Amino acid sequence: EDKIVKSGSWEKFWTEFKVHASDYFLCVKRVCSRHRLLLFVVFPSLAVAGACALFPIDVGISDGFSHAKRDHRLCYDIMKKVSKYGDFAGAAGCCAALVVAGKLFGRRRLILAGVIGFAASSAAGLFNDVIKFTGRPRPDARIEYKLEDRFYGPKFNKRHLPDHHYQSFPSGHTATAFGAAAGIGLICPAFAIPAFAGASLVAFSRVYILDHYPSDVFVAALIGAWFGLVFALAARDMMKTPVQLQ
């Protein structure tokens, strides 16, 4: 009898999930249509303009941190730990904490913020991984192996270095951090400042520890913000009146 109840509950859950998922993706489609100028013109234009402006000064800024590991070890170690937040596990952990807090205190808005933050972070990270075929050497690899700062493409250079040395552009940690921050901040404005402050610190840490250039994190931040904006607006559209979520 217990198995029948559990099976029925699971079937009910799965049916409801499919219905809500279908409705949600329709809302995503409406958001993309309604804000197509912002999403498909303004965001890409900002990414291109920002990258073009930063490319000429990327190496100079990166070289300024080249001795941080030796001369400022404590600060370097702190930035190394901060950088871990931008890892998918770190962003997912923060989103999960919001869901748990929402369950404990009966705040549906917190639950929704955690779910949307997780979804946006995941999507931003996946999209970021897809476009890493640019093959740009990381700053530390460029310095250590005397590489030229350019885009080698999917077929990396002839020195047969590990692929991760050529995955500088864009920054995956920054994309996931800003995806979570945008998703959380737009659903729960009270968390917007700390969420974006944390994501910005992650972006800076990636440059500081020579894993990325400023242009890498700038473009990645826009990628994360794009997904966070779309997913959060779709959730608010689906819920009709976000105020009722409190």
Side-chain angles (χ1 to χ4, degrees):
E1 184 178 354
D2 289 342
K3 291 183 179 179
I4 295 175
V5 172
K6 290 179 180 179
S7 177
S9 299
W10 169 251
E11 290 177 1
K12 181 180 178 181
F13 166 78
W14 181 243
T15 300
E16 292 180 352
F17 172 79
K18 287 190 292 184
V19 171
H20 289 306
S22 178
D23 291 342
Y24 180 72
F25 283 116
L26 285 176
C27 290
V28 170
K29 185 177 179 180
R30 284 201 297 267
V31 167
C32 290
S33 177
R34 187 185 308 139
H35 303 284
R36 55 184 177 274
L37 179 63
L38 172 65
L39 296 173
F40 301 108
V41 177
V42 176
F43 265 85
S45 298
L46 281 175
V48 172
C52 290
L54 289 170
F55 278 151
I57 60 175
D58 270 344
V59 172
I61 294 175
S62 180
D63 287 347
F65 297 114
S66 60
H67 300 298
K69 186 175 183 179
R70 182 191 65 195
D71 299 339
H72 307 284
R73 185 69 195 197
L74 177 60
C75 187
Y76 179 88
D77 290 340
I78 293 174
M79 288 295 103
K80 194 80 172 178
K81 292 180 179 179
V82 168
S83 183
K84 289 184 179 181
Y85 161 77
D87 193 1
F88 178 73
C94 292
C95 294
L98 284 177
V99 173
V100 172
K103 281 285 189 180
L104 290 176
F105 298 104
R107 294 298 183 94
R108 294 182 61 198
R109 184 184 287 271
L110 288 179
I111 297 174
L112 182 61
V115 171
I116 296 301
F118 175 78
S121 177
S122 302
L126 288 172
F127 180 83
N128 184 84
D129 288 342
V130 169
I131 62 175
K132 272 188 177 288
F133 64 84
T134 54
R136 187 184 195 186
R138 295 182 185 273
D140 56 352
R142 174 186 60 81
I143 294 172
E144 182 176 356
Y145 299 105
K146 311 298 183 191
L147 300 175
E148 181 184 355
D149 178 31
R150 64 181 179 87
F151 296 101
Y152 289 84
K155 296 181 179 179
F156 305 123
N157 75 349
K158 299 178 181 179
R159 300 186 64 172
H160 304 294
L161 298 176
D163 288 356
H164 69 85
H165 285 308
Y166 294 90
Q167 295 179 350
S168 185
F169 183 87
S171 167
H173 284 66
T174 304
T176 56
F178 271 88
I184 293 170
L186 287 170
I187 298 297
C188 286
F191 289 94
I193 293 179
F196 278 105
S200 299
L201 190 58
V202 169
F204 174 75
S205 72
R206 302 302 289 166
V207 176
Y208 189 86
I209 65 175
L210 299 182
D211 267 359
H212 291 284
Y213 294 99
S215 60
D216 300 336
V217 299
F218 178 80
V219 172
L222 288 177
I223 291 173
W226 193 96
F227 281 100
L229 177 64
V230 171
F231 286 11
L233 289 180
R236 292 170 61 174
D237 189 32
M238 185 175 177
M239 301 303 293
K240 303 299 182 183
T241 50
V243 178
Q244 295 179 358
L245 295 174
Q246 290 182 341

